[in-house]
Amino acid sequence: MIDLRSDTLTRPTEAMRAAMASAEVGDDVYAEDPTVNALEDRVAEMFGHEAALFTPTGSLANVLAVRSVVGVGQEVLCESSAHIARAELGAHGAITGLTMRTWTHPRGQVDLAAIEHLHAPDMGPFFVATAAVSVECTHNFAGGAVLPIEDLRALRAWADGVDTRIHMDGARIWNAHVASGTPFADYGAVADVMAVCLSKGLGAPIGSLMIGDRDAIGEARVWRKRLGGGMRQVGILAAAGLHALDHHVERLADDHAHARLLAEACGVDPDTVDTNIVVVERDDAARFVADAAEQGVRVAPVGPRAVRLVTHLDISADDARRAAAVLSRVAATPGG
Ligand SMILES: Cc1ncc(COP(=O)(O)O)c(C=O)c1O
């Protein structure tokens, strides 16, 4: 089976396992795990922020990051298919007590006019106050789309003028960096707080980080523990993340090339594929998924009329070529 359902399906490489096995560890609740501390310092510095906090999941990093800039009864504005709005099971409302309003863009992009229109920081005691805007880069459900740095800078400039904070869900910021050439620090400069994941394109088995200033990270450390996310000798996990940062960032270019090949096979314009995710619009999505599986390629339905393919570390160039041959046959079958 060639499994294209998600880039979270990767298994740690032998070299990653060796790095994990030999990691120095300590109790991270006491902030005494040297490998976790090294990972946090390295990631904070990469993005030009003061500090970072290791979390088991991207969802927890997002909850901690968003709650650091949006209070109880306030709102965050985001794109309508953002992961924080659609796929974190209401955590931001349930845990933080915030609300969301959304703008819609087919490629998950910043729409500054729409954001300005929604923005309502102080309309008296009758309306929810906007505290922050959240952006997702790359944008998962918009097919791994990159948000251009110029748009993010324009958002930053506007937000500074209206005293509004910016959260970035950078679960796949590594893919955005490789696809656009934008330095990590430039992405960091447009956000007050970020979440980044090591367990997607980078191939670590677990691990994400919230990034922000020292105060926000100090408070997030308390909230992480409060929510049951305080971890002990997790240097063995942080070591996988450090290994991934050393060895698995630049190779994402291969995943992007494989995604373009698969897009072409499925009749999707490869120029619309920025990174490692391809969304194929099909009226016969269920049939497409079943036929592909029968021929040895697993893909995921995303709703009744779309199929998602994701390339990753465990998909070789040969796998990509074989999957493209299968998918072009499946796509050519009438019914779509
Ligand atoms: C854009 C984005 N943000 C956040 C997450 C959440 O990550 P996790 O599954 O580790 O909670 C995901 C997961 O796929 C994602 O795609």
Side-chain angles (χ1 to χ4, degrees):
M1 267 294 176
I2 298 173
D3 204 334
L4 300 171
R5 288 172 302 161
S6 174
D7 50 7
T8 59
L9 293 160
T10 53
R11 303 205 173 96
T13 61
E14 284 308 316
M16 183 179 277
R17 287 169 193 258
M20 296 170 75
S22 63
E24 245 190 282
V25 297
D27 190 331
D28 180 48
V29 170
Y30 289 77
E32 286 176 6
D33 187 304
T35 312
V36 172
N37 293 343
L39 175 68
E40 290 175 344
D41 291 349
R42 176 165 172 187
V43 169
E45 197 190 328
M46 279 171 83
F47 289 91
H49 281 258
E50 285 177 356
L53 184 73
F54 190 51
T55 62
T57 65
S59 298
L60 182 57
N62 272 336
V63 166
L64 297 176
V66 174
R67 76 151 300 289
S68 76
V69 289
V70 185
V72 177
Q74 296 185 324
E75 71 181 3
V76 58
L77 306 179
C78 62
E79 202 279 325
S80 60
S81 58
H83 199 275
I84 64 163
R86 293 214 56 212
E88 290 174 11
L89 306 179
H92 299 266
I95 295 166
T96 305
L98 56 73
T99 60
M100 296 179 181
R101 279 189 304 146
T102 60
W103 74 93
T104 298
H105 190 289
R107 288 183 55 76
Q109 301 290 305
V110 172
D111 180 342
L112 197 45
I115 293 168
E116 282 187 67
H117 186 72
L118 291 168
H119 186 248
D122 182 10
M123 290 176 62
F126 314 106
F127 288 91
V128 178
T130 311
V133 176
S134 176
V135 291
E136 185 176 312
C137 184
T138 66
H139 196 299
N140 181 351
F141 297 126
V146 173
L147 274 51
I149 192 68
E150 302 75 35
D151 292 0
L152 293 169
R153 287 196 183 116
L155 177 67
R156 171 85 269 169
W158 168 81
D160 283 344
V162 294
D163 196 23
T164 295
R165 316 292 295 280
I166 297 177
H167 161 257
M168 184 185 293
D169 178 351
R172 294 181 182 79
I173 198 70
W174 333 102
N175 298 81
H177 160 74
V178 167
S180 68
T182 302
F184 291 120
D186 289 23
Y187 286 120
V190 298
D192 294 288
V193 284
M194 298 180 73
V196 298
C197 293
L198 304 163
S199 58
K200 316 245 156 20
L202 294 194
I206 182 172
S208 294
L209 295 105
M210 170 187 161
I211 304 167
D213 66 28
R214 221 164 263 122
D215 288 348
I217 295 298
E219 207 184 306
R221 185 173 280 280
V222 174
W223 272 91
R224 182 184 66 172
K225 185 75 169 68
R226 183 170 287 139
L227 295 171
M231 303 178 288
R232 303 296 178 173
Q233 288 73 21
V234 283
I236 54 170
L237 306 179
L242 286 165
H243 179 86
L245 290 173
D246 285 337
H247 301 285
H248 296 170
V249 175
E250 296 312 322
R251 64 149 304 284
L252 291 170
D254 296 342
D255 295 348
H256 301 173
H258 297 159
R260 289 171 64 91
L261 185 73
L262 296 174
E264 220 163 353
C266 296
V268 172
D269 178 357
D271 288 343
T272 63
V273 176
D274 290 348
T275 56
N276 67 326
I277 301 177
V278 182
V279 175
V280 188
E281 310 277 348
R282 298 285 304 197
D283 285 338
D284 61 346
R287 195 277 310 164
F288 189 103
V289 172
D291 282 7
E294 217 161 84
Q295 297 179 54
V297 179
R298 296 183 88 173
V299 298
V302 279
R305 277 177 295 281
V307 176
R308 193 181 74 155
L309 330 174
V310 189
T311 55
H312 52 77
L313 187 58
D314 288 359
I315 301 296
S316 65
D318 188 49
D319 291 335
R321 273 192 296 274
R322 286 193 294 129
V326 168
L327 293 175
S328 69
R329 276 199 304 276
V330 173
T333 305

